[in-house]
Amino acid sequence: MSTYKVPTMAEMAASGESPEILFWVGCAGSFDDRYRAVTQAFVKILNKVGVSFAVLGPEEACTGDPARRAGNEFLFQMQAVANIQVMNGYNVKKVVTACPHCFNTIKNEYPALGGDYEVIHHSQFLQQLINEGKVALKGGGEFKGKKITFHDSCYLGRANDVYEAPREVIKALDVELVEMKRCRTKGLCCGAGGAQMFKEPEEGKKDINIERTEEALSTGASAIAVGCPFCLTMMTDGVKNKDREHDVKVYDLAEMIAKDMGI
Amino acid sequence: MSILPQIAFLLIFALAGFFLYKRVSFLKRNIMLGKGETRNDQPEERWKTMLLVALGQKKMFKRIIPAFLHLLIYVAFVIINLEVLEFIIDGITGSHRIFAPFLGSFYGVAMNIFEFLAIAVLVSCVAFLIRRNVMKVERFNKPEMKGWPAMDANLILVIEIILMFAILTMNATDQILATRGVEGYTLLNGLFFSDMIQPLFLNMGDGTLVAVERFAWWFHIVGILAFAIYVTYSKHLHIFLAFPNTWYSNLKPKGEIQNMPEVTKEVNMMLGMPVEGGDETPAEIGRFGAKDVNDLSWVNIMNAYSCTECGRCTSECPANLTGKKLSPRKIMMDVRDRAEEVGKSIDLGGPGLEDGKSLLGDYITKEEINACTSCNACVEACPVNIDPLSIILQMRRYVAMEESGTPAQWNAMFQNMETSFSPWKFAPTDRFNWADQLKNEETK
């Protein structure tokens, strides 16, 4: 019986190997019950395709994104410098992550602190695998012909101009991709960015995730696809708030691909 | 012929130039209240951005109807200013339509084009007045638009309408006089639009007509000079500042927050790592983050002066859309108003920045900056590449690092990160537990 492999950088280094990519899991991917399923789905895909990868495991720490966005630059840099020391210690060259916040921070903000890596989001990585024919999609899976809408994450879209990769991944599933009115550059935030995930919103007349969920539901889609742990939480909460969890599901892209691959 | 009008014109022209110079110096000094920042990299990309976004109005076209009306006014402004050149030469030399003999029949064509543009401006300005005051488009009626900002917008539109009427009146009376063979007036081969209002003036005698024509001429040129000065007191400054503002755009990915090298130095020292430039403390450690306008970069303040209060940022801000107090437009207006206040105070020998007030606290509240999701919708929406997010984040830095005044839940998140390297309170040793199940699961 063969089981899924989740090698760590430390194990790899001990046996003198260096993986092609570091899969940066992120805090949500490590601790959040719902997003752990996404991490597991992505690792299954990596195993199935035979990608040479490793994770940092217990050596990973928060990138510092929410600290920086809440104004605590000291804490951000403490986290960043520690992470960069670890990654440079393993001579990391290429990083893949399923979190747009980690993606943005490592890609754009670590270079100023001595961390230079090629960083790609898992939607881009999945798109590459699909284009190269490495991911064999059945196409006739549970999503076939279904209406699916994609919610743009701010830190993937506007922050880094990644709009098409996640859409290409969804289209590969032979589904009907329906767009919300506010999509791509005009995409509406789920409400969790800028460290909002970690505090109650200021007083207002509505929660942002409800506004966004209403828009997603109005497309008539049976599933909302996301590429971000915070968006996943916010949209799932929104769907529950609207009592639609029985007929509308919120999925991460990796979960959808893994499901279609039957893993 | 009396040279009195020429002397009067020169005096008015010089006076307007003097006032403009004073105003531009005032604005420049206010912008330079901000910290130095060098943004001269990638000049080719910068020129390209300026050409596309400012000259080419690229981002305006995200909303097609106002973009089209705005384009008409913008093209008219640029082209009609060619006629202003003739006005100025005529004013100084005492000539009348000095370009007419040189341009021959093309002069009449040009005048017809100018008149068409004048009509386009008229129509557009009326449409804009209706959008603001009758249709009450939501973004023009937010709380920060009450009072002067709404008045400013309406005044600009009304002034433009009046100035266009002056051109048409001048051309109509001018051509009646030319038809009657009055000396000094050049007959053009028909002016399509002003010919239509000629009947209003046909009953007048030559003397009255000359008076009306001269009045319209003076009204137009003095009006334009006065408007140029008014612009420096108004949100309308975007007609000039859009160009440098887009040239100095942030060309980095929007998600990147600027590093604070002064913090890097301290962090490296704490971690016992080599520090660039030795470990001596710098001569002057400024404030962390921004409390007042002088803590911001000069680019932030130029952004504020470039803002024409269109409110596209606010209308796409998720916090504002859901009823929070944050409005990116208000952030920009507050920065400008505070810079004005400090600038005026300095000019009057007052306390300037030391007046006991500050941008954060007296203009902008923590509730506003705390509501931002850093989603960059405001930055994306701005037709002239203004960056309200940069200002919000600098203020959050001040609150967190100088005041320790961040919301309690954020402080708890900071603590979690310090102790367990995650924003949530989980044991760091559990970080890799997600793999346990997988490692025992059979592959398919």
Side-chain angles (χ1 to χ4, degrees), chain A residues 151 189-193 196-199 201 207-210 212-213 226 228-241 250, chain B residues 373:
Chain A
H151 163 77
C189 175
C190 72
Q196 298 300 340
M197 186 71 191
F198 305 100
K199 73 164 182 49
D207 282 339
I208 297 171
N209 65 326
I210 304 299
R212 185 54 162 172
T213 304
V226 298
C228 168
F230 297 163
C231 298
L232 187 80
T233 302
M234 298 304 267
M235 297 306 282
T236 307
D237 287 353
V239 170
K240 274 184 199 152
N241 178 284
V250 186
Chain B
T373 69

Side-chain angles (χ1 to χ4, degrees), chain A residues 69 109 155 195-196 200 206, chain B residues 370 372 374 396 409-410:
Chain A
R69 273 136 195 93
E109 298 179 357
Y155 275 82
Q196 298 300 340
E200 290 303 312
K206 198 178 196 178
Chain B
N370 286 344
C372 172
S374 72
R396 280 190 183 175
Q409 286 175 307
W410 275 353

Side-chain angles (χ1 to χ4, degrees), chain B residues 299-314:
Chain B
V299 177
N300 295 136
I301 306 179
M302 178 174 63
N303 274 188
Y305 274 110
S306 306
C307 174
T308 195
E309 301 169 8
C310 73
R312 291 180 181 214
C313 51
T314 294

Side-chain angles (χ1 to χ4, degrees), chain B residues 4-259:
Chain B
L4 264 180
Q6 281 164 263
I7 292 169
F9 180 83
L10 272 173
L11 269 176
I12 291 171
F13 195 62
L15 208 61
F18 174 73
F19 273 119
L20 265 181
Y21 171 76
K22 294 285 281 182
R23 284 299 298 171
V24 170
S25 309
F26 174 77
L27 296 174
K28 194 176 162 202
R29 196 271 326 274
N30 289 356
I31 289 172
M32 289 306 163
L33 287 171
K35 284 185 191 167
E37 182 184 352
T38 312
R39 270 197 194 174
N40 297 325
D41 59 315
Q42 310 174 59
E44 271 176 43
E45 191 59 32
R46 296 192 175 283
W47 286 110
K48 203 176 116 194
T49 308
M50 191 180 89
L51 286 175
L52 278 175
V53 178
L55 195 72
Q57 315 263 297
K58 185 182 165 202
K59 289 175 86 182
M60 281 298 286
F61 278 86
K62 288 186 173 194
R63 299 190 187 192
I64 194 83
I65 294 171
F68 178 68
L69 297 171
H70 180 270
L71 183 71
L72 290 177
I73 298 182
Y74 165 69
V75 170
F77 170 79
V78 173
I79 294 179
I80 291 180
N81 273 340
L82 296 173
E83 197 186 359
V84 173
L85 185 69
E86 186 185 41
F87 270 64
I88 292 169
I89 298 173
D90 281 347
I92 294 170
T93 63
S95 58
H96 184 70
R97 295 198 186 274
I98 192 164
F99 291 164
F102 298 104
L103 295 176
S105 62
F106 180 72
Y107 187 84
V109 175
M111 284 303 127
N112 267 309
I113 292 172
F114 292 167
E115 283 200 353
F116 167 75
L117 290 170
I119 294 291
V121 170
L122 265 174
V123 171
S124 299
C125 286
V126 169
F128 281 153
L129 280 171
I130 291 171
R131 280 167 62 82
R132 278 177 187 271
N133 302 291
V134 182
M135 290 161 67
K136 298 216 179 280
V137 171
E138 201 190 341
R139 64 188 158 106
F140 301 132
N141 289 282
K142 295 272 176 184
E144 68 267 22
M145 297 306 286
K146 299 276 178 287
W148 167 245
M151 171 72 104
D152 186 18
N154 284 329
L155 267 178
I156 292 161
L157 294 170
V158 171
I159 293 170
E160 285 177 16
I161 290 173
I162 295 173
L163 287 175
M164 294 307 114
F165 263 118
I167 287 194
L168 295 172
T169 304
M170 183 190 81
N171 283 353
T173 47
D174 174 277
Q175 285 308 294
I176 299 171
L177 289 164
T179 315
R180 292 182 188 172
V182 177
E183 193 195 346
Y185 289 94
T186 316
L187 187 61
L188 306 168
N189 247 336
L191 294 175
F192 186 77
F193 292 100
S194 63
D195 284 358
M196 289 195 269
I197 59 166
Q198 276 193 12
L200 290 173
F201 308 103
L202 280 175
N203 292 332
M204 294 177 182
D206 289 357
T208 318
L209 271 180
V210 170
V212 173
E213 191 275 331
R214 283 293 85 193
F215 177 79
W217 187 92
W218 279 95
F219 187 88
H220 187 71
I221 188 65
V222 174
I224 279 179
L225 293 173
F227 189 59
I229 295 166
Y230 174 81
V231 163
T232 67
Y233 289 92
S234 153
K235 67 158 191 139
H236 214 50
L237 260 176
H238 79 289
I239 57 176
F240 303 114
L241 283 178
F243 294 89
N245 201 66
T246 46
W247 200 87
Y248 286 105
S249 293
N250 173 26
L251 297 180
K252 293 179 178 161
K254 288 195 194 72
E256 179 181 340
I257 297 183
Q258 215 171 23
N259 195 48

Side-chain angles (χ1 to χ4, degrees), chain A residues 1-4 6 8 23 25-31 36 39-40 43-44 48 55 57-58 60-62 64 66-79 81 85 104 107-109 112-113 154-155 158-161 163 182 185-186 188-189 191-208 211 230 262-263, chain B residues 62-63 253-261 263-268 270-271 273 288 316-325 366-377 380 389 393 396-398 400-401 406-407 409-410 413-415 417-418 420-424 426-435 437-444:
Chain A
M1 168 182 124
S2 86
T3 56
Y4 289 105
V6 195
T8 61
F23 170 36
V25 180
C27 300
S30 303
F31 294 117
R36 281 165 75 149
T39 305
Q40 289 160 353
V43 167
K44 284 181 180 177
K48 184 86 178 174
V55 296
E60 195 184 280
C62 175
R68 180 170 248 193
R69 273 136 195 93
N72 193 336
E73 182 72 7
F74 276 100
L75 184 53
F76 162 74
Q77 292 203 12
M78 293 293 282
Q79 295 292 120
V81 168
Q85 276 186 317
N104 176 69
K107 175 176 168 282
N108 297 323
E109 298 179 357
L113 299 166
C154 309
Y155 275 82
R158 278 186 295 268
N160 289 292
D161 292 323
Y163 298 108
R182 290 175 284 198
T185 57
K186 294 191 102 175
L188 182 73
C189 175
Q196 298 300 340
M197 186 71 191
F198 305 100
K199 73 164 182 49
E200 290 303 312
E202 275 58 39
E203 204 183 302
K205 58 180 197 285
K206 198 178 196 178
D207 282 339
I208 297 171
E211 169 85 12
F230 297 163
I263 52 177
Chain B
K62 288 186 173 194
R63 299 190 187 192
K254 288 195 194 72
E256 179 181 340
I257 297 183
Q258 215 171 23
N259 195 48
M260 292 178 74
V263 171
T264 310
K265 200 165 180 177
E266 289 199 30
V267 166
N268 284 345
M270 277 163 71
L271 296 172
M273 290 163 64
F288 288 128
E316 303 209 358
C317 170
N320 193 279
L321 273 172
T322 53
K324 279 83 174 175
K325 287 214 177 86
K366 284 185 203 169
E367 185 181 343
E368 291 165 70
I369 59 168
N370 286 344
C372 172
T373 69
S374 72
C375 75
N376 268 302
E380 181 71 39
L389 177 57
L393 291 170
R396 280 190 183 175
R397 281 176 169 171
Y398 173 80
M401 292 192 283
T406 38
Q409 286 175 307
W410 275 353
M413 179 260 288
F414 294 158
Q415 258 178 12
M417 206 182 286
E418 279 163 15
S420 47
F421 314 112
S422 156
W424 293 288
F426 288 109
T429 45
D430 290 344
R431 186 176 273 272
F432 197 31
N433 290 358
W434 61 266
Q437 186 198 335
L438 267 185
K439 286 176 183 168
N440 295 313
E441 190 179 327
E442 202 175 333
T443 53
K444 279 180 217 157

Side-chain angles (χ1 to χ4, degrees), chain B residues 376-396:
Chain B
N376 268 302
C378 54
V379 182
E380 181 71 39
C382 181
V384 294
N385 287 354
I386 290 170
D387 185 356
L389 177 57
S390 151
I391 296 167
I392 293 170
L393 291 170
Q394 290 178 70
M395 290 189 168
R396 280 190 183 175

